[in-house]
Amino acid sequence: MKERSSIDPILEGNLTLVRETIESACNAVGRDARQVMLQAVTKTVEPQRINQAIALGVRCIGENRVQEFLEKKPYLTLDGVEAHLIGHLQTNKVKQIVGEVSMIQSVDSVKVAKAISDRSLQAGITTPILVEVNMENEASKSGVAADELERLLHEIHNFSGIHVRGLMTVPPILRTEYEKRHVFSKMFQLFVDIGAKKLDNIDMLELSMGMSGDYREAVMEGATIVRVGSAIFGRRQY
Ligand SMILES: *Cc1c(COP(=O)(O)O)cnc(C)c1O
């Protein structure tokens, strides 16, 4: 554990505010805040700052890029902390990341799911995954279209090296509270509908949605994981 004096007070204040916002969003809709995992998104953030967040109680981090994560990992104090891959994954990077993270949230094709499964079986492990859904069918974004989701799940449900634990989405930038809640509630409905079908080897336990600009609304609409970067670490410097 780091000395308190080495912790950036702004980081600590940001984290407190994000936690309070999650709690008040839960209270507003009668949810238990323990049902919501705050995932600190650490892309572009240097290991020392990530370790400060961990010292402040962050228990889950999210990284977008395989290379960046693997470079930083030796410097991270990850005991008891989950690291998830949340960025688009190319098949040729699968070999490097399987076994290095506790979940891959951004699976959106049979091909990548198969590659993760095969690699996991070789390594003697099962990799928990989420399927990324492109709710608004944005051409620029990865993710499977909502109306293709069930077909994808049918194609991957018997891949025994993966365990589908839920869904993830990165919606377009939403402006009004109404817009945000509308998109997130549609996503929640999809999550519930798929869960009700009880497909073999497919569980709908985790719903990962909500980022710095909209995690409050995501929590109100049923997110179990919110992925928050800049509201914790400040604006990213690329
Ligand atoms: C960067 C990123 C986030 C966090 O974004 P912020 O707006 O900084 O909170 C969440 N999810 C994904 C997939 C990201 O790439």
Side-chain angles (χ1 to χ4, degrees):
M1 193 71 83
K2 292 259 168 185
E3 301 259 338
R4 291 233 11 122
S5 58
S6 67
I7 287 178
D8 174 4
I10 296 178
L11 176 64
E12 183 167 21
N14 288 347
L15 205 46
T16 301
L17 183 63
V18 170
R19 287 181 173 134
E20 286 171 358
T21 304
I22 291 171
E23 255 176 53
S24 81
C26 282
N27 289 340
V29 295
R31 294 188 68 195
D32 181 340
R34 285 170 303 190
Q35 296 167 346
V36 181
M37 166 87 93
L38 170 59
Q39 176 167 50
V41 175
T42 51
K43 62 176 178 245
T44 78
V45 179
E46 53 178 73
Q48 189 210 349
R49 269 176 87 67
I50 301 173
N51 289 336
Q52 287 183 30
I54 291 170
L56 291 165
V58 163
R59 285 297 162 261
C60 181
I61 65 166
E63 281 279 347
N64 287 64
R65 298 178 54 219
V66 170
Q67 205 55 44
E68 181 184 340
F69 175 63
L70 294 179
E71 278 166 19
K72 294 194 293 194
K73 193 178 179 194
Y75 303 96
L76 299 177
T77 50
L78 288 177
D79 295 337
V81 176
E82 289 185 30
H84 299 178
L85 186 75
I86 62 172
H88 186 70
L89 178 59
Q90 288 165 319
T91 319
N92 62 1
K93 297 280 171 62
V94 165
K95 208 160 66 175
Q96 294 168 55
I97 198 70
V98 165
E100 298 291 339
V101 286
S102 36
M103 186 186 280
I104 298 175
Q105 292 196 10
S106 38
V107 176
D108 66 353
S109 71
V110 175
K111 195 170 144 214
V112 168
K114 177 85 166 67
I116 297 170
S117 179
D118 289 350
R119 181 64 188 175
S120 302
L121 290 173
Q122 270 175 20
I125 59 175
T126 305
T127 300
I129 68 158
L130 303 182
V131 173
E132 181 173 354
V133 180
N134 184 344
M135 275 307 281
E136 306 293 297
N137 287 327
E138 293 170 278
S140 62
K141 288 233 178 98
S142 40
V144 58
D147 57 7
E148 301 274 316
L149 174 62
E150 203 176 331
R151 199 172 70 194
L152 175 74
L153 293 173
H154 273 295
E155 288 185 64
I156 69 176
H157 83 274
N158 58 3
F159 294 172
S160 49
I162 56 173
H163 176 205
V164 180
R165 289 182 52 85
L167 304 178
M168 178 269 217
T169 195
V170 185
I173 292 176
L174 305 166
R175 269 166 299 268
T176 63
E177 163 140 10
Y178 171 79
E179 247 179 18
K180 294 174 188 178
R181 293 193 63 172
H182 181 69
V183 170
F184 291 137
S185 76
K186 265 202 308 193
M187 186 69 195
F188 182 74
Q189 198 54 53
L190 182 64
F191 173 74
V192 169
D193 290 347
I194 294 286
K197 297 194 168 156
K198 303 207 181 302
L199 307 171
D200 262 359
N201 194 32
I202 307 275
D203 286 313
M204 286 294 130
L205 303 168
E206 303 291 352
L207 179 56
S208 172
M209 60 184 189
M211 319 199 322
S212 291
D214 52 23
Y215 66 94
R216 179 176 162 275
E217 290 78 8
V219 167
M220 292 175 86
E221 297 300 338
T224 68
I225 300 173
V226 288
R227 307 180 309 270
V228 182
S230 44
I232 295 173
F233 296 106
R235 183 136 30 103
R236 277 181 291 277
Q237 257 127 36
Y238 286 97

mmCIF file of all heavy atoms in Angstrom, residues 41 43 64 86-87 168 170 210-213 227-231 236 238, ligand 1:
data_model
loop_
_atom_site.group_PDB
_atom_site.id
_atom_site.type_symbol
_atom_site.label_atom_id
_atom_site.label_comp_id
_atom_site.label_asym_id
_atom_site.label_seq_id
_atom_site.Cartn_x
_atom_site.Cartn_y
_atom_site.Cartn_z
ATOM 1 N N VAL A 41 -11.041 3.069 -16.013
ATOM 2 C CA VAL A 41 -10.450 2.885 -17.345
ATOM 3 C C VAL A 41 -9.102 3.593 -17.379
ATOM 4 O O VAL A 41 -9.017 4.807 -17.197
ATOM 5 C CB VAL A 41 -11.395 3.402 -18.443
ATOM 6 C CG1 VAL A 41 -10.721 3.330 -19.804
ATOM 7 C CG2 VAL A 41 -12.683 2.574 -18.440
ATOM 8 N N LYS A 43 -6.546 3.507 -19.783
ATOM 9 C CA LYS A 43 -5.778 3.738 -21.015
ATOM 10 C C LYS A 43 -5.072 5.093 -20.942
ATOM 11 O O LYS A 43 -5.661 6.056 -20.444
ATOM 12 C CB LYS A 43 -6.681 3.654 -22.245
ATOM 13 C CG LYS A 43 -7.783 4.689 -22.294
ATOM 14 C CD LYS A 43 -8.547 4.575 -23.618
ATOM 15 C CE LYS A 43 -9.686 5.546 -23.704
ATOM 16 N NZ LYS A 43 -11.004 4.903 -23.747
ATOM 17 N N ASN A 64 -7.666 -0.627 -23.054
ATOM 18 C CA ASN A 64 -8.155 -0.791 -24.423
ATOM 19 C C ASN A 64 -7.226 -1.578 -25.318
ATOM 20 O O ASN A 64 -7.679 -2.276 -26.213
ATOM 21 C CB ASN A 64 -8.352 0.574 -25.073
ATOM 22 C CG ASN A 64 -9.543 1.277 -24.519
ATOM 23 O OD1 ASN A 64 -9.565 1.609 -23.334
ATOM 24 N ND2 ASN A 64 -10.551 1.466 -25.338
ATOM 25 N N ILE A 86 -11.075 -3.949 -22.691
ATOM 26 C CA ILE A 86 -12.347 -3.348 -23.093
ATOM 27 C C ILE A 86 -12.302 -2.789 -24.513
ATOM 28 O O ILE A 86 -13.308 -2.304 -25.017
ATOM 29 C CB ILE A 86 -12.786 -2.232 -22.103
ATOM 30 C CG1 ILE A 86 -11.766 -1.092 -22.071
ATOM 31 C CG2 ILE A 86 -13.000 -2.801 -20.711
ATOM 32 C CD1 ILE A 86 -12.239 0.113 -21.258
ATOM 33 N N GLY A 87 -11.133 -2.843 -25.151
ATOM 34 C CA GLY A 87 -11.016 -2.300 -26.505
ATOM 35 C C GLY A 87 -11.103 -3.400 -27.552
ATOM 36 O O GLY A 87 -10.979 -4.587 -27.237
ATOM 37 N N MET A 168 -21.766 -5.879 -23.249
ATOM 38 C CA MET A 168 -21.107 -4.589 -23.077
ATOM 39 C C MET A 168 -21.538 -3.699 -24.232
ATOM 40 O O MET A 168 -21.838 -4.196 -25.329
ATOM 41 C CB MET A 168 -19.600 -4.858 -23.115
ATOM 42 C CG MET A 168 -18.708 -3.666 -23.000
ATOM 43 S SD MET A 168 -18.263 -2.927 -24.565
ATOM 44 C CE MET A 168 -16.589 -2.464 -24.185
ATOM 45 N N VAL A 170 -20.856 0.454 -26.035
ATOM 46 C CA VAL A 170 -20.334 1.823 -26.070
ATOM 47 C C VAL A 170 -21.291 2.627 -26.945
ATOM 48 O O VAL A 170 -21.174 2.604 -28.155
ATOM 49 C CB VAL A 170 -18.921 1.894 -26.694
ATOM 50 C CG1 VAL A 170 -18.359 3.317 -26.610
ATOM 51 C CG2 VAL A 170 -17.965 0.909 -26.034
ATOM 52 N N GLY A 210 -21.949 2.659 -19.642
ATOM 53 C CA GLY A 210 -21.805 3.904 -18.908
ATOM 54 C C GLY A 210 -20.341 4.290 -18.808
ATOM 55 O O GLY A 210 -19.508 3.473 -18.419
ATOM 56 N N MET A 211 -20.025 5.537 -19.222
ATOM 57 C CA MET A 211 -18.678 6.067 -19.160
ATOM 58 C C MET A 211 -18.764 7.420 -18.416
ATOM 59 O O MET A 211 -19.799 7.727 -17.836
ATOM 60 C CB MET A 211 -18.090 6.217 -20.558
ATOM 61 C CG MET A 211 -18.439 5.032 -21.444
ATOM 62 S SD MET A 211 -17.455 4.726 -22.921
ATOM 63 C CE MET A 211 -17.081 6.302 -23.564
ATOM 64 N N SER A 212 -17.679 8.190 -18.444
ATOM 65 C CA SER A 212 -17.662 9.409 -17.615
ATOM 66 C C SER A 212 -18.887 10.309 -17.827
ATOM 67 O O SER A 212 -19.400 10.882 -16.882
ATOM 68 C CB SER A 212 -16.383 10.210 -17.874
ATOM 69 O OG SER A 212 -15.284 9.492 -17.359
ATOM 70 N N GLY A 213 -19.341 10.418 -19.073
ATOM 71 C CA GLY A 213 -20.428 11.350 -19.364
ATOM 72 C C GLY A 213 -21.817 10.820 -19.070
ATOM 73 O O GLY A 213 -22.793 11.583 -19.110
ATOM 74 N N ARG A 227 -17.703 1.848 -16.796
ATOM 75 C CA ARG A 227 -16.297 2.008 -17.200
ATOM 76 C C ARG A 227 -15.962 3.497 -17.208
ATOM 77 O O ARG A 227 -16.319 4.207 -18.147
ATOM 78 C CB ARG A 227 -16.089 1.400 -18.589
ATOM 79 C CG ARG A 227 -16.578 -0.046 -18.729
ATOM 80 C CD ARG A 227 -16.330 -0.549 -20.148
ATOM 81 N NE ARG A 227 -16.841 0.364 -21.144
ATOM 82 C CZ ARG A 227 -18.071 0.315 -21.652
ATOM 83 N NH1 ARG A 227 -18.920 -0.617 -21.299
ATOM 84 N NH2 ARG A 227 -18.454 1.204 -22.555
ATOM 85 N N VAL A 228 -15.283 3.951 -16.185
ATOM 86 C CA VAL A 228 -15.080 5.382 -16.015
ATOM 87 C C VAL A 228 -13.592 5.728 -16.080
ATOM 88 O O VAL A 228 -12.799 5.214 -15.294
ATOM 89 C CB VAL A 228 -15.687 5.859 -14.676
ATOM 90 C CG1 VAL A 228 -15.513 7.368 -14.521
ATOM 91 C CG2 VAL A 228 -17.166 5.475 -14.584
ATOM 92 N N GLY A 229 -13.231 6.556 -17.043
ATOM 93 C CA GLY A 229 -11.833 6.958 -17.212
ATOM 94 C C GLY A 229 -11.589 8.391 -16.789
ATOM 95 O O GLY A 229 -11.112 8.669 -15.691
ATOM 96 N N SER A 230 -11.943 9.334 -17.667
ATOM 97 C CA SER A 230 -11.551 10.727 -17.439
ATOM 98 C C SER A 230 -12.162 11.338 -16.174
ATOM 99 O O SER A 230 -11.554 12.229 -15.571
ATOM 100 C CB SER A 230 -11.857 11.576 -18.671
ATOM 101 O OG SER A 230 -13.120 11.271 -19.187
ATOM 102 N N ALA A 231 -13.329 10.893 -15.745
ATOM 103 C CA ALA A 231 -13.908 11.450 -14.513
ATOM 104 C C ALA A 231 -13.075 11.058 -13.292
ATOM 105 O O ALA A 231 -13.171 11.691 -12.237
ATOM 106 C CB ALA A 231 -15.359 10.997 -14.332
ATOM 107 N N ARG A 236 -7.562 12.756 -20.812
ATOM 108 C CA ARG A 236 -6.444 11.943 -21.295
ATOM 109 C C ARG A 236 -5.493 12.744 -22.167
ATOM 110 O O ARG A 236 -5.930 13.542 -22.984
ATOM 111 C CB ARG A 236 -6.950 10.736 -22.119
ATOM 112 C CG ARG A 236 -7.362 9.566 -21.274
ATOM 113 C CD ARG A 236 -7.834 8.404 -22.128
ATOM 114 N NE ARG A 236 -9.094 8.678 -22.784
ATOM 115 C CZ ARG A 236 -10.281 8.530 -22.215
ATOM 116 N NH1 ARG A 236 -10.384 8.114 -20.981
ATOM 117 N NH2 ARG A 236 -11.383 8.801 -22.886
ATOM 118 N N TYR A 238 -2.894 12.168 -25.054
ATOM 119 C CA TYR A 238 -2.408 11.136 -25.977
ATOM 120 C C TYR A 238 -1.034 11.497 -26.514
ATOM 121 O O TYR A 238 -0.662 12.648 -26.559
ATOM 122 C CB TYR A 238 -3.389 10.959 -27.150
ATOM 123 C CG TYR A 238 -4.650 10.238 -26.734
ATOM 124 C CD1 TYR A 238 -5.792 10.955 -26.407
ATOM 125 C CD2 TYR A 238 -4.676 8.847 -26.664
ATOM 126 C CE1 TYR A 238 -6.953 10.292 -26.029
ATOM 127 C CE2 TYR A 238 -5.831 8.183 -26.283
ATOM 128 C CZ TYR A 238 -6.961 8.908 -25.969
ATOM 129 O OH TYR A 238 -8.098 8.257 -25.594
HETATM 130 C C1 LIG B 1 -12.018 5.162 -22.945
HETATM 131 C C2 LIG B 1 -13.130 4.223 -22.706
HETATM 132 C C3 LIG B 1 -13.976 4.355 -21.590
HETATM 133 C C4 LIG B 1 -13.877 5.493 -20.587
HETATM 134 O O1 LIG B 1 -14.149 6.706 -21.187
HETATM 135 P P1 LIG B 1 -14.306 8.039 -20.308
HETATM 136 O O2 LIG B 1 -15.229 8.877 -21.099
HETATM 137 O O3 LIG B 1 -12.962 8.627 -20.159
HETATM 138 O O4 LIG B 1 -14.893 7.640 -18.996
HETATM 139 C C5 LIG B 1 -14.956 3.400 -21.400
HETATM 140 N N1 LIG B 1 -15.112 2.365 -22.257
HETATM 141 C C6 LIG B 1 -14.332 2.205 -23.328
HETATM 142 C C7 LIG B 1 -14.566 1.043 -24.223
HETATM 143 C C8 LIG B 1 -13.332 3.132 -23.589
HETATM 144 O O5 LIG B 1 -12.579 2.973 -24.679
#
